[in-house]
């Protein structure tokens, strides 16, 4: 059957998302053991132990559908953030929340303004609805160019997406820049602030997105349990917004889009302060070590507010990526994004960080400063 005559034409224009290479695949290809994947910004320290215990206890109930309203998680998050329970939307990962936003608001002819390079799923969800991406280049410090983004907004703009901290650069914009940008925006468009790495950005200057929601309905903060809580495999994310927006998104979702086990895991993970603090500490220590060692090799490492780092190389990132694969280390090259001479590395466990450093030293081929 000639499917190309039937398919929505914009679907064929989507470039499928390229996930990081699985460890098992690399080990099979090279016939090795002990490869590491530090390419997908997962939590390398495992899932929250409290979430694991709660999931084990709940396994016997998996013949039951989930609570479609996610009552327990809703109550807990509302309490934590001082919001009403009707200001939340849950999804199969933050990815689904982004998709619900696209499905609810975008159609062909609409424009979506976002910075670039940024999260690779934005073009996918925009194109998925036949809408048009308007990608505004990051500035020379790899920060959001909020002035240029404001200028890119016109009468066709239906949505603006800010990724803060930004993936793949790890860069963050602060309160003042955010507030000025929000003030400059027309009221009748959706402002999506993707704050999936928010938990790692502990600066006092981090924007108060939740405060902004009260004054600007149509604003949503998108967050995830995939990162700091170590639940990427469970697929659960959420959005915080005003009640009217949550009601619209709620209409667009499947009734059981978050699994029973995912909700149980998320509720328990929120109470696992020990796991969160440990993750933050190890992440900070890992970032410091990698920065020190890479800088000693003459590489530029961008400061990060996340669990990953952007590294500037003196040659194409894909070349270094391929060479690191042969050392059993999977990182993320960024070809075609304007960051071709960079790779993105997730901060790993102490052992993974050391393996990365040793492999990069070998591949980049320079002795550490001061070494004989
Ligand atoms: C900026 C950003 N937004 C959203 C997501 C999707 O997160 P989730 O795993 O909750 O779907 C990611 C995942 O890496 C991301 O980096």
């Amino acid at each position: 059957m000639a499917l190309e005559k039937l398919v929505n034409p914009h679907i064929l224009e989507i470039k499928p998302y390229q996930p990081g290479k699985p460890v098992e695949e690399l080990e099979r290809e090279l016939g090795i053991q002990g490869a590491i994947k530090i390419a997908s910004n997962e939590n390398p320290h495992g899932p929250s132990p409290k979430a694991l215990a709660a999931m084990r206890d709940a396994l016997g109930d998996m013949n039951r559908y989930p609570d479609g309203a996610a009552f327990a998680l809703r109550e807990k998050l509302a309490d934590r953030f001082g919001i009403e329970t009707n200001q939340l939307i849950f999804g199969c990962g933050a990815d689904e929340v982004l998709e619900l936003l696209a499905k609810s608001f975008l159609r062909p002819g609409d424009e979506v303004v976002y910075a670039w390079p940024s999260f690779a799923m934005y073009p996918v969800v925009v194109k998925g609805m036949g809408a048009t991406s308007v990608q505004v280049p990051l500035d020379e410090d790899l920060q959001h160019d909020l002035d240029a983004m404001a200028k890119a907004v016109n009468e066709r703009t239906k949505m603006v997406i800010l990724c803060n901290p930004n993936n793949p650069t790890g860069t963050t914009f602060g309160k003042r820049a955010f507030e000025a940008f929000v003030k400059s925006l027309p009221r009748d468009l959706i402002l999506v602030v993707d704050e999936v790495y928010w938990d790692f950005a502990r600066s006092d200057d981090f924007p108060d997105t939740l405060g902004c929601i009260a004054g600007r309905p149509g604003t949503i903060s998108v967050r995830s349990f995939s990162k700091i809580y170590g639940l990427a495999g469970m697929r659960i994310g959420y959005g915080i917004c005003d009640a009217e927006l949550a009601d619209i998104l709620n209409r667009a979702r499947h009734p059981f889009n978050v699994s029973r086990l995912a909700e149980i895991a998320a509720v328990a993970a929120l109470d696992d302060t020990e796991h969160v603090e440990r993750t933050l500490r190890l992440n900070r220590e890992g970032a410091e070590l990698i920065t020190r060692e890479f800088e000693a090799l003459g590489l530029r490492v961008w400061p990060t507010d996340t669990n990953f780092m952007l590294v500037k190389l003196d040659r194409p990132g894909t070349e270094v990526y391929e060479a690191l694969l042969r050392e059993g280390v999977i990182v993320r090259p960024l070809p075609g994004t304007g960051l071709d001479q960079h790779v993105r590395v997730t901060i790993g466990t102490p052992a993974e960080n050391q393996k990365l450093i040793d492999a990069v030293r070998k591949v980049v081929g320079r002795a550490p400063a001061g070494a004989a």
Side-chain angles (χ1 to χ4, degrees), residues 53-113:
M55 285 193 281
R56 279 194 200 102
D57 286 349
L59 284 177
D61 297 331
M62 288 309 124
N63 53 322
R64 304 287 175 200
Y65 281 108
D67 167 12
F71 178 82
L73 182 56
R74 190 175 286 279
E75 291 275 314
K76 202 160 191 94
L77 282 173
D79 187 45
R80 168 143 323 179
F81 294 121
I83 55 172
E84 300 297 324
T85 50
N86 60 4
Q87 289 186 261
L88 286 154
I89 178 77
F90 296 99
C92 175
D95 277 342
E96 195 197 5
V97 179
L98 294 170
E99 200 156 81
L100 292 175
L101 283 157
K103 184 174 162 187
S104 305
F105 290 101
L106 302 182
R107 62 176 112 168
D110 291 339
E111 292 186 358
V112 181
V113 172

Side-chain angles (χ1 to χ4, degrees), residues 295-345:
E295 284 181 354
L297 289 170
L299 301 174
R300 176 161 186 195
V301 182
W302 295 87
T304 185
D305 272 328
T306 63
N307 63 345
F308 60 86
M309 309 181 84
L310 185 70
V311 185
K312 183 158 188 339
L313 307 153
D314 58 359
R315 66 191 84 166
T318 42
E319 218 176 283
V320 173
Y321 163 74
E322 295 288 342
L324 287 175
L325 283 185
R326 292 190 287 277
E327 300 300 317
V329 175
I330 307 169
V331 299
R332 182 67 73 117
L334 303 159
T337 62
L339 294 172
D340 297 42
Q341 298 239 340
H342 296 71
V343 288
R344 192 193 68 192
V345 298

Side-chain angles (χ1 to χ4, degrees), residues 4 52-53 78 108 145-146 179 188 198 200 204-205 215 221 236 258 301 312 314 334 338 341 355 358 370-371:
E4 72 266 24
L52 273 184
D145 187 342
L146 292 172
E179 282 162 14
D188 57 348
W198 159 84
F200 292 94
D204 288 344
D205 188 38
S221 164
I236 176 160
V258 170
V301 182
K312 183 158 188 339
D314 58 359
L334 303 159
Q341 298 239 340
K355 187 172 168 88
D358 292 344

Side-chain angles (χ1 to χ4, degrees), residues 66-365:
D67 167 12
F71 178 82
L73 182 56
R74 190 175 286 279
E75 291 275 314
K76 202 160 191 94
L77 282 173
D79 187 45
R80 168 143 323 179
F81 294 121
I83 55 172
E84 300 297 324
T85 50
N86 60 4
Q87 289 186 261
L88 286 154
I89 178 77
F90 296 99
C92 175
D95 277 342
E96 195 197 5
V97 179
L98 294 170
E99 200 156 81
L100 292 175
L101 283 157
K103 184 174 162 187
S104 305
F105 290 101
L106 302 182
R107 62 176 112 168
D110 291 339
E111 292 186 358
V112 181
V113 172
Y114 55 87
W116 197 252
S118 192
F119 182 44
M121 280 303 290
Y122 303 154
V124 174
V125 296
V126 171
K127 186 66 91 177
M129 298 308 298
T132 303
S133 285
V134 178
Q135 299 180 336
V136 179
L138 297 174
D139 70 14
E140 59 202 17
D141 295 322
L142 302 186
Q143 298 278 357
H144 275 61
D145 187 342
L146 292 172
D147 289 341
M149 289 183 75
K151 287 196 187 106
V153 171
N154 63 38
E155 65 287 348
R156 289 183 299 280
T157 310
K158 187 67 85 60
M159 187 180 287
V160 172
I161 308 175
L162 301 174
C163 187
N164 199 39
N166 189 45
N167 176 9
T169 54
T171 45
T172 306
F173 53 79
K175 269 186 186 143
R176 271 242 299 275
F178 176 68
E179 282 162 14
F181 178 74
V182 171
K183 220 184 234 170
S184 77
L185 275 189
R187 304 286 282 185
D188 57 348
L189 55 76
I190 303 298
L191 173 60
V192 180
V193 193
D194 182 338
E195 298 187 314
V196 157
Y197 298 98
W198 159 84
D199 314 75
F200 292 94
R202 290 293 164 111
S203 141
D204 288 344
D205 188 38
F206 195 77
D208 175 18
T209 320
L210 303 194
C212 167
I213 287 164
R216 190 192 182 284
T219 303
I220 182 165
S221 164
V222 178
R223 299 182 178 187
S224 177
F225 284 91
S226 295
K227 306 299 174 185
I228 203 143
Y229 297 110
L231 294 173
M234 294 310 299
R235 310 305 302 125
I236 176 160
Y238 60 101
I240 303 176
C241 52
D242 62 284
E244 187 187 356
L245 178 51
D247 173 62
I248 290 170
L249 299 174
N250 192 40
R251 289 164 196 264
R253 72 176 175 89
H254 294 188
F256 304 116
N257 61 333
V258 170
S259 78
R260 175 177 278 273
L261 215 49
E263 188 201 348
I264 287 167
V267 167
L270 282 170
D271 282 336
D272 203 341
T273 331
E274 203 180 320
H275 177 256
V276 167
E277 292 307 324
R278 181 168 174 271
T279 298
L280 285 173
R281 177 176 56 78
L282 290 170
N283 188 65
R284 196 176 49 247
E285 289 169 7
E288 284 165 7
L289 176 75
I290 293 170
T291 305
R292 210 169 42 242
E293 296 289 335
F294 281 15
E295 284 181 354
L297 289 170
L299 301 174
R300 176 161 186 195
V301 182
W302 295 87
T304 185
D305 272 328
T306 63
N307 63 345
F308 60 86
M309 309 181 84
L310 185 70
V311 185
K312 183 158 188 339
L313 307 153
D314 58 359
R315 66 191 84 166
T318 42
E319 218 176 283
V320 173
Y321 163 74
E322 295 288 342
L324 287 175
L325 283 185
R326 292 190 287 277
E327 300 300 317
V329 175
I330 307 169
V331 299
R332 182 67 73 117
L334 303 159
T337 62
L339 294 172
D340 297 42
Q341 298 239 340
H342 296 71
V343 288
R344 192 193 68 192
V345 298
T346 305
I347 299 160
T349 60
E352 287 172 336
N353 295 336
Q354 198 51 56
K355 187 172 168 88
L356 166 73
I357 290 163
D358 292 344
V360 166
R361 194 175 285 146
K362 189 163 164 194
V363 164
V364 171

